[in-house]
Amino acid sequence: MRALDLSLRGQAAVIAAGEVDPAELLDATLARIEERNPAINAVVATFPEESRAMLASAPDGPLHGVPVVIKDEWPLPWRAQRFGAAELLAPTAPGESGPYRALREAGAVVVGVGNMHELGSGSTGNVSVYGPCRNPWDTDRCPGGSSSGPAAATAAGLVAGAVGADGLGSVRFPAAYCGLTGLKPTFGRSAMAGHHMAAVTTLIVSGPLCTDAADCRLLGSALFGEELPAGDAAGLKIGVVRDTVSEDVTPEVREACEAAIEALRTETGGEIREIELADLEMATLAGILVINGESLGGVPAERLNHLHPDVSPINRGFLKYRMLLPAAAIAQAGRVRTLMRRRLAALFEDVDAIAWPTIPATAPPLEAPLVELPSGTHTADQANVRGAALANLTGIPAISVPVGVGSEGLPIALQLQGAWGTDALLLDAAEALERANGRRWVDARPPLAQAEPTV
Amino acid sequence: MRGPLHDPGHPASVGLPAGMEDPDRAEQFVPAGLASLQIEADEIELAVMNAAHEMFWPPIRALLSLDLGDIEPERNPDLSRAPEKV
């Protein structure tokens, strides 16, 4: 069915025009998942009856009848979230989460649950109670995490868009590894209710993962519950930082991102300004400390002696280690947060967006998620988080945009970060970048999505 | 010198052992901290925690050494907005 390979807005348009029966699109999507998912393990649950019931009562919203995948991070009325883990140290139950309600009110149909990195604790997606998720560009590579399944499902053409969550880069990393556009909204603007940390988190947000910015705008508007209006990003003032985040990256990432920044400047008739943003490493550590402090969740220490045996050793170890984090450091992290928020507020008086690579290297192997950077060999997590934590710590929006394909045939991505509430501007800038590149990178498809469709 | 506080089977009631010579060394800090909280760990978990400690402890020490006393933290900050000017 041709509609399967349309964009999210394309699917919405052909359904609205009466050219495609959404029930047929749903069946074709389920068949596509059955056909392609075994190679990537992106979708960990489907529920045709519930999806058909959702379609039967779908309102005439902007996503009427469009199938989407949602990360295993929120409950559905018929399924509790598992957070990619054998055990979650928080009570969960089936229910109507905020993202589910937002999708339902927009007329969308939840067709499956997306795999995720266990407990949301990694940027690679290779650890999960469901087994590793795989990158459609190379199934021996990491898809990125923690929103691994939503990204891989969208990149492989199982669906045209998916909902992820971003606590320290978890929408942006898989978007970058899988060649998608992913928006980390301004804190508090997108639907979060029903998340097991919704009441305590000051970092995590829901966000869209789609092939391009226009689809992110459509799905993002549903999650925001308000339209993200389109503009043109004319005269965009782009701030660049000469620091680890932009310099300790592979040569091909650096080259592609610098070219993209220049292309964005030209397309918008804007300018590039070098800016100073000190203490980024402290901001990263502060983000890690804050999210770990918030996720302790009142669990008694003794409870950690009885973890489910199928929780991975790395998370068993880390769940215990975080109990040893000094309270003084977490308090100090709060002051770093204030410091960075004030510095950013001052910077955003001079620039509209700050640009640096989303990921310092392309997707690493699933079996050994390490990256080789000018500074040496690092775990992908250690290297990736340096460029992501600032947005979560301070609350600002950020977007990852594909800007190239590296020597191993894997996507490269640029991140743009804007002032609080400028989510729509970031989408405008991403669209300008797409225009500047002739849509070359957002229209690139991985081998799995280029396979001759049988459904 | 290793005392009973290093043995998860003999948990401490408070604090870290006086005998811990160097908290930067994971093999001292981690077992002592776990013992103080009565948390048990197997060898693999200890290896993970040792690696985590080696990664996080030096920057945590650096963070704790920063003088941020003149930064008044925002009270109940609205993270969806820019901070108020001070």
Side-chain angles (χ1 to χ4, degrees):
Chain A
M1 176 185 243
R2 187 184 154 273
L4 267 179
D5 296 309
L6 293 175
S7 63
L8 196 78
R9 61 191 180 283
Q11 291 185 347
V14 294
I15 291 170
E19 296 167 17
V20 166
D21 178 348
E24 289 181 13
L25 178 60
L26 173 57
D27 287 344
T29 300
L30 288 164
R32 172 68 65 82
I33 291 171
E34 199 168 317
E35 177 194 4
R36 291 185 182 174
N37 191 57
I40 52 173
N41 195 27
V43 176
V44 296
T46 56
F47 18 74
E49 280 186 27
E50 287 82 359
S51 298
R52 289 187 185 109
M54 202 172 173
L55 175 60
S57 60
D60 283 332
L63 288 168
H64 176 75
V66 177
V68 294
V69 158
I70 187 169
K71 187 180 182 182
D72 185 25
E73 193 154 335
W74 285 277
L76 296 167
W78 54 87
R79 183 187 187 277
Q81 76 273 39
R82 293 186 66 186
F83 213 35
E87 178 181 26
L88 192 54
L89 296 175
T92 61
E96 287 194 0
S97 67
Y100 167 80
R101 280 197 294 268
L103 293 170
R104 185 186 63 192
E105 286 163 16
V109 176
V110 178
V111 71
V113 168
N115 202 349
M116 65 175 288
H117 197 108
E118 185 183 53
L119 300 172
S121 67
S123 70
T124 48
N126 65 325
V127 179
S128 167
V129 70
Y130 307 106
C133 182
R134 294 174 182 273
N135 192 321
W137 289 81
D138 178 343
T139 54
D140 289 330
R141 299 285 177 149
C142 292
S146 64
S147 305
S148 51
T154 305
L158 308 188
V159 287
V163 177
D166 192 318
L168 282 179
S170 285
V171 161
R172 290 162 282 162
F173 301 139
Y177 279 179
C178 290
L180 300 173
T181 302
L183 176 67
K184 178 264 169 204
T186 299
F187 181 80
R189 288 198 68 185
S190 56
M192 265 296 285
H195 190 286
H196 54 278
M197 281 179 61
V200 295
T201 186
T202 59
L203 297 168
I204 307 171
V205 292
S206 65
L209 286 138
C210 300
T211 55
D212 65 11
D215 277 1
C216 275
R217 192 185 301 277
L218 180 59
L219 186 50
S221 295
L223 292 172
F224 279 49
E226 61 179 290
E227 189 181 355
L228 291 165
D232 59 10
L236 192 73
K237 295 191 285 280
I238 309 161
V240 294
V241 178
R242 299 294 171 208
D243 200 334
T244 306
V245 287
S246 57
E247 300 195 334
D248 192 23
V249 302
T250 61
E252 64 183 10
V253 166
R254 184 171 181 161
E255 188 179 331
C257 287
E258 286 181 353
I261 291 168
E262 176 56 26
L264 180 59
R265 183 198 67 77
T266 303
E267 177 66 25
T268 59
E271 58 184 287
I272 296 170
R273 295 182 180 179
E274 280 204 21
I275 56 173
E276 297 280 335
L277 188 48
D279 299 317
L280 272 173
E281 288 183 12
M282 281 300 163
T284 300
L285 177 63
I288 293 168
L289 290 169
V290 170
I291 202 166
N292 278 288
E294 290 174 348
S295 60
L296 287 172
V299 176
E302 199 273 342
R303 173 74 182 76
L304 297 174
N305 292 331
H306 307 286
L307 291 171
H308 192 290
D310 289 338
V311 173
S312 70
I314 193 166
N315 267 320
R316 287 206 312 270
F318 200 76
L319 286 169
K320 293 175 182 180
Y321 181 74
R322 73 183 185 184
M323 298 294 283
L324 311 183
L325 295 172
I330 295 174
Q332 191 86 325
R335 290 179 186 256
V336 171
R337 171 180 254 180
T338 295
L339 177 69
M340 299 310 289
R341 278 171 52 77
R342 288 179 182 152
R343 282 184 181 164
L344 281 177
L347 277 177
F348 284 125
E349 290 182 2
D350 291 328
V351 299
D352 301 310
I354 300 170
W356 62 57
T358 311
I359 43 167
T362 55
L366 276 168
E367 296 303 321
L370 302 172
V371 293
E372 298 290 339
L373 302 180
S375 63
T377 305
H378 302 269
T379 66
D381 285 347
Q382 198 178 1
N384 288 340
V385 73
R386 297 186 304 204
L390 180 70
N392 301 91
L393 182 71
T394 58
I396 61 171
I399 194 166
S400 180
V401 189
V403 295
V405 171
S407 58
E408 296 181 293
L410 297 165
I412 294 170
L414 179 72
Q415 179 178 206
L416 301 170
Q417 301 167 90
W420 298 264
T422 61
D423 307 69
L425 175 65
L426 292 184
L427 291 162
D428 298 340
E431 289 191 76
L433 194 46
E434 293 169 12
R435 287 194 303 275
N437 290 324
R439 291 187 57 85
R440 181 176 176 193
W441 307 119
V442 291
D443 286 344
R445 293 288 176 270
L448 192 63
Q450 292 170 7
E452 190 63 32
T454 57
V455 292
Chain B
M1 179 178 172
R2 293 176 67 84
L5 290 172
H6 292 86
D7 182 351
H10 297 83
S13 56
V14 290
L16 297 176
M20 190 168 72
E21 294 162 2
D22 184 357
D24 288 348
R25 294 184 60 185
E27 64 269 27
Q28 294 190 10
F29 177 90
V30 171
L34 293 176
S36 71
L37 296 169
Q38 301 185 29
I39 298 173
E40 298 160 6
D42 62 27
E43 282 185 17
I44 297 173
E45 293 165 359
L46 280 173
V48 169
M49 285 185 270
N50 289 348
H53 191 70
E54 283 172 17
M55 185 185 303
F56 289 115
W57 197 247
I60 285 174
R61 290 283 295 266
L63 176 66
L64 289 171
S65 72
L66 291 179
D67 183 356
L68 301 175
D70 59 346
I71 298 171
E72 189 178 332
E74 295 176 87
R75 186 169 299 186
N76 298 319
D78 180 352
L79 293 163
S80 70
R81 298 178 184 280
E84 290 182 13
K85 289 192 174 176
V86 291

